[in-house]
Amino acid sequence: MKEQIKKFLNEEQDPKAIEKITSKLYDLLMKNEEIGYIAVQKKPAITVFPDSIVLTNKRIIICQPKNLGLSMDFVDYTWDQIEGTFVKENILGSEFSFSTKTDMTVSIDYIPKIQARKIFTYAKEQLDILKTGSAQNTVAIPEESVEEIEEMETEEVTNYAEIMPAIPNYAEPIQENTTQSIEKPTSELTQDELFAKLQNYKKLLDNGLILQGEYDAFKKEILSLM
């Protein structure tokens, strides 16, 4: 037991208080939970049973001895419940406090200054770890995936260009009777042939093969002959 409590006596914590806390606390630790720091009250008057605050990698635990030290009350707050932490240094020790997301404020006074600074620093580190973990969990597209998408889009465009034939700016409409459309000028076509020619131009426009201006010019020419 002495070996276990030595690491929590760096800032002159009361060894007896630490021993009482750790003897009861280890039975309360959750899976993968580790004690990071323990701060103990040190009031001006002799306090036989001081309050303590324990910080682990999962929560803050307030320890309050009861019944002349025969029992102890534990109140804990997980890091995701905590909004912020504060330290107020006074002449006789410091006051460490933290606020929760439910607008509750918890304080423990007469903490030696060096211990108060230590728990404040440890608490900030745990809250930063929590924020960093939340940010990493945010859904984001990895850079590799973005590059793959860009490559895929480039390949699709290339393949589309390969299968699409080159089309001149003024493409002639497709006629069922190609020989007839080549041999006969537009002015000599019948009403039905002119109407079919206009429909072909409309199909080219709808398919994006000619521009609106080109279609309007063809349409104007055909309508003048009908």
Side-chain angles (χ1 to χ4, degrees), residues 126-141:
Q126 294 303 312
L127 291 175
D128 287 343
I129 291 172
L130 183 64
K131 290 179 181 178
T132 303
S134 299
Q136 289 177 347
N137 289 334
T138 304
V139 178
I141 301 176

Side-chain angles (χ1 to χ4, degrees), residues 61-74:
I61 306 173
I62 306 297
C63 310
Q64 298 175 311
K66 299 292 182 182
N67 302 320
L68 300 178
L70 297 176
S71 62
M72 187 173 296
D73 288 345
F74 296 98

Side-chain angles (χ1 to χ4, degrees), residues 15-33:
K16 291 183 179 179
I18 294 292
E19 185 174 356
K20 288 180 180 179
I21 292 168
T22 53
S23 64
K24 298 179 182 297
L25 196 60
Y26 277 107
D27 294 334
L28 302 177
L29 294 180
M30 299 182 288
K31 185 179 181 181
N32 298 325
E33 184 176 19

